[in-house]
């Protein structure tokens, strides 16, 4: 199965919202998402847990109000993020993550307003990545960082190809769409799929996603190197996350 990608390199900025404990803006694969993180703060009585913090995730679409799809995305993100946040360090507290979708890729085959109003499966990596960056910006203790990617299996000329970071058109004609996330310890954190696929196809998707999310950076004499002729199956998300935080720290310490 051939592997291809149609997206460009991701971009991110930290601390974009001054009144939040932490915030981030992330753009990739046509999606732009802004996140704010507040907490740990005092939780309402109905959300209190005697032994751990409650993680509240709110997803707001680019147009209109949230519906069933947004609630489904919120439940998936809440479950995944709760696994990397050290929630047991903050009993009876609340960590609130608000994700605002600002832009989504256009599909020439459907009404753009309908695409913006109803979030689809392929936006989940952008939401997940923005939330992780905002948590790092807020200084919320986490046991590991994490990266996520989306892969679609698209039929083409009697064969099938895997598309990393699929476009809305790819998602529309895809046989199946998969979203996987891995921690910085190379552990599978999230695996969501929809559509028809075989076990062999899922194994191929898993290996491709792991290469995108967990790609090691080759080193030589203590210096990191990025080889342009290797690993062309998508962006190096782990290196991107690391370099984004390094740039933020360097910027914050520049006055010293």
């Amino acid at each position: 199965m051939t592997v291809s990608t149609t997206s460009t390199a991701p971009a991110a900025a930290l601390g974009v919202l001054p009144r939040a404990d932490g915030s981030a803006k992330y753009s990739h694969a046509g999606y732009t998402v802004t996140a704010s993180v507040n907490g740990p703060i005092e939780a309402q009585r109905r959300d209190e847990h005697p032994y751990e913090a409650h993680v509240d995730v709110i997803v707001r679409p680019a147009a209109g109000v949230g519906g069933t799809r947004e609630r489904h995305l919120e439940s998936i993100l809440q479950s995944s993020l709760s696994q990397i946040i050290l929630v047991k360090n903050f009993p009876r507290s609340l960590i609130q993550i608000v994700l605002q979708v600002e832009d989504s890729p256009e599909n020439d085959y459907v009404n753009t307003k309908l695409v913006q109003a109803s979030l689809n499966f392929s936006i989940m990596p952008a939401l997940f990545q923005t939330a992780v960056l905002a948590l790092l910006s807020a200084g919320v203790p986490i046991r590991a960082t994490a990266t996520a990617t989306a892969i679609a299996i698209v039929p083409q000329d009697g064969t099938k190809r895997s598309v990393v970071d699929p476009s809305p058109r790819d998602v529309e004609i895809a046989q199946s769409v998969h979203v996987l996330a891995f921690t910085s310890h190379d552990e599978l954190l999230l695996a969501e799929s929809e559509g028809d696929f075989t076990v062999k196809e899922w194994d191929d998707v898993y290996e491709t996603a792991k290469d995108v999310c967990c790609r090691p950076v080759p080193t030589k004499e203590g210096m990191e190197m990025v080889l342009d002729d290797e690993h062309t199956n998508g962006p190096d998300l782990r290196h991107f996350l690391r370099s984004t935080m390094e740039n933020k720290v360097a910027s914050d310490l520049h006055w010293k």
Side-chain angles (χ1 to χ4, degrees):
M1 185 185 299
T2 59
V3 180
S4 62
T5 180
T6 57
S7 64
T8 57
L14 302 181
V16 295
L17 302 177
R19 295 191 178 184
D21 293 340
S23 59
K25 186 174 184 178
Y26 179 79
S27 301
H28 184 49
Y31 293 103
T32 300
V33 181
T34 299
S36 67
V37 171
N38 288 288
I41 57 179
E42 183 180 359
Q44 296 183 6
R45 181 63 62 88
R46 60 182 176 85
D47 294 329
E48 277 189 358
H49 193 287
Y51 302 111
E52 63 184 36
H54 172 68
V55 179
D56 183 28
V57 180
I58 301 173
V59 176
R60 295 173 178 169
V65 296
T68 305
R69 295 192 182 190
E70 286 72 27
R71 303 295 84 78
H72 178 57
L73 292 173
E74 290 171 359
S75 64
I76 295 175
L77 292 169
Q78 179 183 12
S79 175
S80 301
L81 295 172
S82 296
Q83 296 182 57
I84 62 173
I85 298 174
L86 299 179
V87 292
K88 294 188 181 298
N89 289 7
F90 309 100
R92 301 181 183 277
S93 299
L94 171 69
I95 299 175
Q96 186 178 67
I97 305 170
V98 180
L99 297 159
Q100 173 67 59
V101 180
E102 294 188 4
D103 195 13
S104 58
E106 294 184 2
N107 187 345
D108 295 335
Y109 297 88
V110 297
N111 189 321
T112 304
K113 292 183 178 180
L114 294 179
V115 174
Q116 292 181 341
S118 58
L119 301 182
N120 55 36
F121 211 58
S122 60
I123 196 178
M124 196 181 302
L127 294 172
F128 183 87
Q129 212 62 70
T130 313
V132 171
L133 288 168
L135 288 170
L136 292 171
S137 174
V140 176
I142 56 178
R143 68 177 182 88
T145 59
T147 51
T149 187
I151 299 176
I153 299 179
V154 181
Q156 184 180 41
D157 300 330
T159 61
K160 299 176 184 178
R161 63 186 179 97
S162 296
V163 180
V164 180
D165 300 321
S167 65
R169 180 57 177 170
D170 291 330
V171 173
E172 184 179 350
I173 65 176
Q175 176 182 302
S176 61
V177 182
H178 310 263
V179 176
L180 290 88
F182 294 84
T183 68
S184 52
H185 303 310
D186 295 351
E187 300 172 346
L188 182 63
L189 178 65
L190 169 66
E192 292 288 333
S193 303
E194 63 179 4
D196 299 326
F197 54 92
T198 65
V199 175
K200 175 63 168 60
E201 291 171 345
W202 196 92
D203 289 340
D204 293 339
V205 166
Y206 173 85
E207 293 299 331
T208 302
K210 190 172 184 180
D211 176 68
V212 173
C213 296
C214 306
R215 186 178 308 163
V217 179
T219 59
K220 182 179 181 181
E221 298 179 357
M223 299 181 63
E224 296 181 352
M225 301 184 303
V226 178
L227 304 181
D228 295 334
D229 58 344
E230 295 183 358
H231 304 298
T232 58
N233 294 341
D236 186 348
L237 294 178
R238 177 175 291 181
H239 183 263
F240 167 77
L241 187 68
R242 178 177 176 179
S243 62
T244 300
M245 293 307 302
E246 287 177 346
N247 293 336
K248 175 61 175 176
V249 171
S251 176
D252 290 344
L253 297 179
H254 180 69
W255 63 276
K256 294 184 178 180

